[in-house]
Structures are given as C-alpha cells and as structure tokens.
Amino acid sequence: MSISTRERLVEGMAVVLNLLFTFFYLRSNPVCFVFGVVAPVVLAWPCLKQRLYGQVMLQGFYVGVAVYGYLNFGGEWRVEHRSLIYHIIWIGLGIVGSLSMGYWLKRKTRSSWSYVDAAVTIFSMIGTWQMMNFIHENWLYLIAVNAVSVVLYSWRRLWLAAAMFVLYLVMSVDGYVESITWFGS
C-alpha cells in the first residue's frame, strides 16, 4: 500500500511529537503530557490508513496513559521488581490477548499483519503499564515490542515511524542497563 505525501507529512509530525514527548518525559517536565496526548492522536491516522488497527487502538490507550500520567505526575523515581511467576502470568495473558485480538482483527477487519499488530498492541500495553508502576522488567517487554515494531512499521512502509522505533529500541536497552546501574538491581 503506497503512502501519499500528506500521509508521510502526518507520519513525520507524529514522530516529532512522540520524540518531544520522550524528550520532556525524560526531563520530568509535565509539558510532556501535552505531547503524550497529541502525538498518539496524530500517529493513529497513518496507522489507520495502513490498516494497522491494533496500533490505532494502542494510540488511544496512550492518550489515556498520558492523562493518567498527568494526573499522577510527581514523586520520586523508584524501581520495583516482580517475581518470575508474575511475569510468566503477564506473558501468558499477553499471548492469550494477542491471539484473541489477532483472531478478531483477522476476522472482522482488513487488518494488515493481524497477529503481529495485536501482539505489539497487547505487549505495548503491558510494558507501558509496568513502566508507569516502576517495574524494572518493563524494559524487557519494551525491547521486544520496539524490535517487532521496527519490522511491522517497515513492512507497512512507515519508514519514519520505523526509524523512531529503532531509536526507542536503543533507548529501551539503555533504560534497562541504566536502571540496573543506577539502582544496583
């Protein structure tokens, strides 16, 4: 499916807005939440045009997360760990959710790469929720999600978004390594 110049401009704008969110978030600046609402709304359009319907749903989730983050902004950064059983349960739920959503997308929509789209959506939600709750292992979920997102967005020729996910992949690896260093995990 080809991408029009207008779609490419919207994709570029979404990438810039997402990177601004990340920039301000990493600096604990509450203006990040403005970008955290606007960026997913903008990115939803090219995802919709490329029939990545799970990603459209994910962008809606991110809007809600940005509002939640704004309402709960403040406090100190901390790191918490969860047991292997905790993560096995979440991974199991993620697999079941991904298969269920993938099946639904395949049967009810003209979704592209239904099961991959669903897995990225579900595991992004799990990783993001864990990040919001300071669970250190969230970085491992996000490393996997960002790696698969590079492939998914490249496959749909959303090159700018794919490049953003390469950057997010590097940042996820760095986040995992840095949090180990900072907190002696």
Side-chain angles (χ1 to χ4, degrees), residues 77-81 131 134-140 143 171-185:
W77 178 260
R78 64 187 187 281
V79 172
E80 297 181 11
H81 293 279
M131 176 185 264
F134 306 104
I135 298 170
H136 170 71
E137 294 82 10
N138 82 83
W139 295 113
L140 298 174
I143 288 167
M171 293 170 72
S172 297
V173 170
D174 183 62
Y176 182 73
V177 171
E178 285 296 314
S179 62
I180 290 173
T181 304
W182 291 344
F183 297 103
S185 298

mmCIF file of all heavy atoms in Angstrom, residues 77-81 131 134-140 143 171-185:
data_model
loop_
_atom_site.group_PDB
_atom_site.id
_atom_site.type_symbol
_atom_site.label_atom_id
_atom_site.label_comp_id
_atom_site.label_asym_id
_atom_site.label_seq_id
_atom_site.Cartn_x
_atom_site.Cartn_y
_atom_site.Cartn_z
ATOM 1 N N TRP A 77 11.383 8.740 41.412
ATOM 2 C CA TRP A 77 11.560 7.537 40.615
ATOM 3 C C TRP A 77 12.021 6.421 41.529
ATOM 4 O O TRP A 77 12.870 6.618 42.387
ATOM 5 C CB TRP A 77 12.595 7.791 39.520
ATOM 6 C CG TRP A 77 12.859 6.576 38.703
ATOM 7 C CD1 TRP A 77 13.900 5.738 38.830
ATOM 8 C CD2 TRP A 77 12.052 6.056 37.665
ATOM 9 N NE1 TRP A 77 13.804 4.716 37.922
ATOM 10 C CE2 TRP A 77 12.666 4.886 37.185
ATOM 11 C CE3 TRP A 77 10.850 6.452 37.081
ATOM 12 C CZ2 TRP A 77 12.137 4.124 36.162
ATOM 13 C CZ3 TRP A 77 10.330 5.677 36.055
ATOM 14 C CH2 TRP A 77 10.975 4.538 35.609
ATOM 15 N N ARG A 78 11.446 5.278 41.372
ATOM 16 C CA ARG A 78 11.854 4.116 42.140
ATOM 17 C C ARG A 78 11.824 2.914 41.215
ATOM 18 O O ARG A 78 11.254 2.976 40.141
ATOM 19 C CB ARG A 78 10.939 3.913 43.334
ATOM 20 C CG ARG A 78 9.510 3.613 42.962
ATOM 21 C CD ARG A 78 8.587 3.592 44.185
ATOM 22 N NE ARG A 78 7.265 3.144 43.856
ATOM 23 C CZ ARG A 78 6.321 3.881 43.283
ATOM 24 N NH1 ARG A 78 6.555 5.118 42.953
ATOM 25 N NH2 ARG A 78 5.129 3.387 43.029
ATOM 26 N N VAL A 79 12.431 1.879 41.631
ATOM 27 C CA VAL A 79 12.439 0.651 40.835
ATOM 28 C C VAL A 79 11.900 -0.469 41.700
ATOM 29 O O VAL A 79 12.313 -0.630 42.845
ATOM 30 C CB VAL A 79 13.861 0.309 40.352
ATOM 31 C CG1 VAL A 79 13.880 -1.057 39.696
ATOM 32 C CG2 VAL A 79 14.352 1.351 39.379
ATOM 33 N N GLU A 80 10.986 -1.211 41.144
ATOM 34 C CA GLU A 80 10.446 -2.378 41.822
ATOM 35 C C GLU A 80 10.655 -3.586 40.928
ATOM 36 O O GLU A 80 10.694 -3.469 39.707
ATOM 37 C CB GLU A 80 8.961 -2.179 42.106
ATOM 38 C CG GLU A 80 8.692 -1.025 43.050
ATOM 39 C CD GLU A 80 7.208 -0.843 43.338
ATOM 40 O OE1 GLU A 80 6.404 -1.728 42.980
ATOM 41 O OE2 GLU A 80 6.866 0.194 43.917
ATOM 42 N N HIS A 81 10.793 -4.720 41.538
ATOM 43 C CA HIS A 81 10.948 -5.967 40.796
ATOM 44 C C HIS A 81 9.765 -6.869 41.109
ATOM 45 O O HIS A 81 9.184 -6.804 42.180
ATOM 46 C CB HIS A 81 12.248 -6.672 41.197
ATOM 47 C CG HIS A 81 13.464 -5.919 40.787
ATOM 48 N ND1 HIS A 81 13.980 -5.967 39.517
ATOM 49 C CD2 HIS A 81 14.255 -5.061 41.480
ATOM 50 C CE1 HIS A 81 15.041 -5.181 39.448
ATOM 51 N NE2 HIS A 81 15.226 -4.627 40.617
ATOM 52 N N MET A 131 5.800 0.102 33.204
ATOM 53 C CA MET A 131 6.669 1.266 33.303
ATOM 54 C C MET A 131 6.050 2.315 34.219
ATOM 55 O O MET A 131 6.734 2.901 35.057
ATOM 56 C CB MET A 131 6.918 1.876 31.923
ATOM 57 C CG MET A 131 7.744 3.153 31.968
ATOM 58 S SD MET A 131 7.883 3.908 30.350
ATOM 59 C CE MET A 131 9.453 3.229 29.864
ATOM 60 N N PHE A 134 6.685 1.502 37.740
ATOM 61 C CA PHE A 134 8.100 1.416 38.112
ATOM 62 C C PHE A 134 8.639 -0.009 38.195
ATOM 63 O O PHE A 134 9.578 -0.275 38.929
ATOM 64 C CB PHE A 134 8.350 2.150 39.440
ATOM 65 C CG PHE A 134 7.872 3.564 39.418
ATOM 66 C CD1 PHE A 134 6.705 3.936 40.071
ATOM 67 C CD2 PHE A 134 8.594 4.532 38.741
ATOM 68 C CE1 PHE A 134 6.264 5.246 40.048
ATOM 69 C CE2 PHE A 134 8.154 5.850 38.708
ATOM 70 C CZ PHE A 134 6.985 6.209 39.365
ATOM 71 N N ILE A 135 8.041 -0.921 37.449
ATOM 72 C CA ILE A 135 8.514 -2.303 37.453
ATOM 73 C C ILE A 135 9.676 -2.400 36.468
ATOM 74 O O ILE A 135 9.519 -2.175 35.268
ATOM 75 C CB ILE A 135 7.378 -3.278 37.100
ATOM 76 C CG1 ILE A 135 6.285 -3.173 38.172
ATOM 77 C CG2 ILE A 135 7.911 -4.701 36.974
ATOM 78 C CD1 ILE A 135 5.006 -3.883 37.834
ATOM 79 N N HIS A 136 10.844 -2.695 37.006
ATOM 80 C CA HIS A 136 12.083 -2.667 36.234
ATOM 81 C C HIS A 136 12.026 -3.508 34.958
ATOM 82 O O HIS A 136 12.518 -3.094 33.911
ATOM 83 C CB HIS A 136 13.254 -3.137 37.120
ATOM 84 C CG HIS A 136 14.510 -3.372 36.360
ATOM 85 N ND1 HIS A 136 15.254 -2.352 35.824
ATOM 86 C CD2 HIS A 136 15.139 -4.517 36.020
ATOM 87 C CE1 HIS A 136 16.293 -2.865 35.195
ATOM 88 N NE2 HIS A 136 16.249 -4.171 35.297
ATOM 89 N N GLU A 137 11.422 -4.642 35.029
ATOM 90 C CA GLU A 137 11.425 -5.559 33.890
ATOM 91 C C GLU A 137 10.599 -5.043 32.711
ATOM 92 O O GLU A 137 10.615 -5.638 31.634
ATOM 93 C CB GLU A 137 10.925 -6.943 34.325
ATOM 94 C CG GLU A 137 11.844 -7.639 35.309
ATOM 95 C CD GLU A 137 11.663 -7.205 36.766
ATOM 96 O OE1 GLU A 137 10.680 -6.492 37.076
ATOM 97 O OE2 GLU A 137 12.495 -7.583 37.597
ATOM 98 N N ASN A 138 9.900 -3.908 32.877
ATOM 99 C CA ASN A 138 9.159 -3.329 31.757
ATOM 100 C C ASN A 138 10.056 -3.131 30.551
ATOM 101 O O ASN A 138 9.615 -3.241 29.419
ATOM 102 C CB ASN A 138 8.510 -1.997 32.154
ATOM 103 C CG ASN A 138 9.468 -0.822 32.075
ATOM 104 O OD1 ASN A 138 9.683 -0.258 31.011
ATOM 105 N ND2 ASN A 138 10.060 -0.462 33.194
ATOM 106 N N TRP A 139 11.340 -2.839 30.810
ATOM 107 C CA TRP A 139 12.272 -2.584 29.704
ATOM 108 C C TRP A 139 12.409 -3.811 28.809
ATOM 109 O O TRP A 139 12.567 -3.683 27.594
ATOM 110 C CB TRP A 139 13.635 -2.160 30.237
ATOM 111 C CG TRP A 139 13.577 -0.853 30.956
ATOM 112 C CD1 TRP A 139 13.775 -0.639 32.289
ATOM 113 C CD2 TRP A 139 13.304 0.436 30.381
ATOM 114 N NE1 TRP A 139 13.639 0.694 32.575
ATOM 115 C CE2 TRP A 139 13.346 1.378 31.417
ATOM 116 C CE3 TRP A 139 13.024 0.877 29.092
ATOM 117 C CZ2 TRP A 139 13.126 2.733 31.215
ATOM 118 C CZ3 TRP A 139 12.806 2.225 28.889
ATOM 119 C CH2 TRP A 139 12.854 3.135 29.938
ATOM 120 N N LEU A 140 12.338 -4.998 29.383
ATOM 121 C CA LEU A 140 12.454 -6.211 28.570
ATOM 122 C C LEU A 140 11.249 -6.362 27.635
ATOM 123 O O LEU A 140 11.401 -6.738 26.470
ATOM 124 C CB LEU A 140 12.616 -7.436 29.469
ATOM 125 C CG LEU A 140 13.879 -7.424 30.337
ATOM 126 C CD1 LEU A 140 13.875 -8.601 31.301
ATOM 127 C CD2 LEU A 140 15.129 -7.421 29.475
ATOM 128 N N ILE A 143 11.762 -3.694 24.940
ATOM 129 C CA ILE A 143 12.807 -4.069 23.980
ATOM 130 C C ILE A 143 12.193 -4.974 22.906
ATOM 131 O O ILE A 143 12.378 -4.743 21.704
ATOM 132 C CB ILE A 143 13.989 -4.761 24.686
ATOM 133 C CG1 ILE A 143 14.799 -3.732 25.500
ATOM 134 C CG2 ILE A 143 14.879 -5.493 23.685
ATOM 135 C CD1 ILE A 143 15.781 -4.348 26.478
ATOM 136 N N MET A 171 16.870 3.135 23.192
ATOM 137 C CA MET A 171 16.545 3.745 24.488
ATOM 138 C C MET A 171 16.059 2.701 25.493
ATOM 139 O O MET A 171 16.356 2.807 26.689
ATOM 140 C CB MET A 171 15.500 4.840 24.306
ATOM 141 C CG MET A 171 16.022 6.038 23.534
ATOM 142 S SD MET A 171 14.729 7.203 23.078
ATOM 143 C CE MET A 171 14.355 7.918 24.671
ATOM 144 N N SER A 172 15.330 1.698 25.025
ATOM 145 C CA SER A 172 14.851 0.637 25.918
ATOM 146 C C SER A 172 16.009 -0.183 26.468
ATOM 147 O O SER A 172 16.047 -0.503 27.660
ATOM 148 C CB SER A 172 13.872 -0.284 25.190
ATOM 149 O OG SER A 172 12.735 0.407 24.785
ATOM 150 N N VAL A 173 16.948 -0.513 25.595
ATOM 151 C CA VAL A 173 18.132 -1.240 26.048
ATOM 152 C C VAL A 173 18.889 -0.379 27.060
ATOM 153 O O VAL A 173 19.285 -0.853 28.125
ATOM 154 C CB VAL A 173 19.036 -1.642 24.855
ATOM 155 C CG1 VAL A 173 20.374 -2.174 25.335
ATOM 156 C CG2 VAL A 173 18.324 -2.657 23.975
ATOM 157 N N ASP A 174 19.048 0.898 26.724
ATOM 158 C CA ASP A 174 19.734 1.814 27.633
ATOM 159 C C ASP A 174 18.979 1.942 28.958
ATOM 160 O O ASP A 174 19.590 1.946 30.026
ATOM 161 C CB ASP A 174 19.897 3.184 26.978
ATOM 162 C CG ASP A 174 20.671 4.146 27.851
ATOM 163 O OD1 ASP A 174 21.850 3.867 28.156
ATOM 164 O OD2 ASP A 174 20.083 5.179 28.255
ATOM 165 N N GLY A 175 17.660 2.045 28.897
ATOM 166 C CA GLY A 175 16.852 2.143 30.115
ATOM 167 C C GLY A 175 17.039 0.932 31.009
ATOM 168 O O GLY A 175 17.165 1.054 32.228
ATOM 169 N N TYR A 176 17.085 -0.231 30.401
ATOM 170 C CA TYR A 176 17.282 -1.456 31.173
ATOM 171 C C TYR A 176 18.663 -1.463 31.820
ATOM 172 O O TYR A 176 18.796 -1.692 33.021
ATOM 173 C CB TYR A 176 17.096 -2.679 30.281
ATOM 174 C CG TYR A 176 17.236 -3.981 31.035
ATOM 175 C CD1 TYR A 176 16.247 -4.396 31.903
ATOM 176 C CD2 TYR A 176 18.365 -4.778 30.888
ATOM 177 C CE1 TYR A 176 16.365 -5.586 32.612
ATOM 178 C CE2 TYR A 176 18.490 -5.966 31.584
ATOM 179 C CZ TYR A 176 17.497 -6.358 32.445
ATOM 180 O OH TYR A 176 17.621 -7.529 33.140
ATOM 181 N N VAL A 177 19.681 -1.166 31.033
ATOM 182 C CA VAL A 177 21.063 -1.178 31.541
ATOM 183 C C VAL A 177 21.264 -0.077 32.576
ATOM 184 O O VAL A 177 21.837 -0.307 33.629
ATOM 185 C CB VAL A 177 22.073 -1.045 30.376
ATOM 186 C CG1 VAL A 177 23.481 -0.830 30.879
ATOM 187 C CG2 VAL A 177 21.989 -2.267 29.475
ATOM 188 N N GLU A 178 20.767 1.129 32.283
ATOM 189 C CA GLU A 178 20.940 2.264 33.198
ATOM 190 C C GLU A 178 20.235 2.025 34.529
ATOM 191 O O GLU A 178 20.769 2.369 35.583
ATOM 192 C CB GLU A 178 20.456 3.559 32.574
ATOM 193 C CG GLU A 178 21.388 4.119 31.536
ATOM 194 C CD GLU A 178 22.743 4.519 32.117
ATOM 195 O OE1 GLU A 178 22.782 5.175 33.174
ATOM 196 O OE2 GLU A 178 23.755 4.153 31.511
ATOM 197 N N SER A 179 19.042 1.480 34.486
ATOM 198 C CA SER A 179 18.340 1.277 35.746
ATOM 199 C C SER A 179 19.027 0.219 36.592
ATOM 200 O O SER A 179 18.972 0.256 37.825
ATOM 201 C CB SER A 179 16.869 0.945 35.519
ATOM 202 O OG SER A 179 16.728 -0.250 34.799
ATOM 203 N N ILE A 180 19.702 -0.713 35.959
ATOM 204 C CA ILE A 180 20.495 -1.670 36.717
ATOM 205 C C ILE A 180 21.653 -0.940 37.383
ATOM 206 O O ILE A 180 21.923 -1.114 38.563
ATOM 207 C CB ILE A 180 21.026 -2.809 35.809
ATOM 208 C CG1 ILE A 180 19.879 -3.709 35.379
ATOM 209 C CG2 ILE A 180 22.118 -3.610 36.516
ATOM 210 C CD1 ILE A 180 20.277 -4.751 34.350
ATOM 211 N N THR A 181 22.309 -0.071 36.612
ATOM 212 C CA THR A 181 23.461 0.678 37.129
ATOM 213 C C THR A 181 23.049 1.642 38.235
ATOM 214 O O THR A 181 23.685 1.706 39.273
ATOM 215 C CB THR A 181 24.121 1.473 35.966
ATOM 216 O OG1 THR A 181 24.466 0.563 34.935
ATOM 217 C CG2 THR A 181 25.358 2.197 36.445
ATOM 218 N N TRP A 182 21.956 2.391 38.009
ATOM 219 C CA TRP A 182 21.538 3.384 38.979
ATOM 220 C C TRP A 182 21.093 2.783 40.295
ATOM 221 O O TRP A 182 21.308 3.341 41.359
ATOM 222 C CB TRP A 182 20.371 4.207 38.438
ATOM 223 C CG TRP A 182 20.711 5.116 37.323
ATOM 224 C CD1 TRP A 182 21.952 5.544 36.917
ATOM 225 C CD2 TRP A 182 19.796 5.712 36.421
ATOM 226 N NE1 TRP A 182 21.856 6.360 35.844
ATOM 227 C CE2 TRP A 182 20.527 6.485 35.509
ATOM 228 C CE3 TRP A 182 18.405 5.669 36.305
ATOM 229 C CZ2 TRP A 182 19.940 7.212 34.508
ATOM 230 C CZ3 TRP A 182 17.825 6.398 35.299
ATOM 231 C CH2 TRP A 182 18.577 7.158 34.408
ATOM 232 N N PHE A 183 20.400 1.686 40.219
ATOM 233 C CA PHE A 183 19.759 1.160 41.418
ATOM 234 C C PHE A 183 20.384 -0.150 41.908
ATOM 235 O O PHE A 183 19.874 -0.774 42.804
ATOM 236 C CB PHE A 183 18.262 0.963 41.169
ATOM 237 C CG PHE A 183 17.567 2.258 40.868
ATOM 238 C CD1 PHE A 183 17.226 2.581 39.570
ATOM 239 C CD2 PHE A 183 17.301 3.165 41.881
ATOM 240 C CE1 PHE A 183 16.596 3.783 39.294
ATOM 241 C CE2 PHE A 183 16.676 4.358 41.605
ATOM 242 C CZ PHE A 183 16.319 4.679 40.311
ATOM 243 N N GLY A 184 21.461 -0.562 41.284
ATOM 244 C CA GLY A 184 22.159 -1.768 41.737
ATOM 245 C C GLY A 184 21.289 -2.997 41.692
ATOM 246 O O GLY A 184 21.376 -3.856 42.546
ATOM 247 N N SER A 185 20.419 -3.070 40.677
ATOM 248 C CA SER A 185 19.479 -4.205 40.583
ATOM 249 C C SER A 185 20.206 -5.489 40.272
ATOM 250 O O SER A 185 21.145 -5.566 39.577
ATOM 251 C CB SER A 185 18.458 -3.931 39.489
ATOM 252 O OG SER A 185 17.724 -2.789 39.828
#
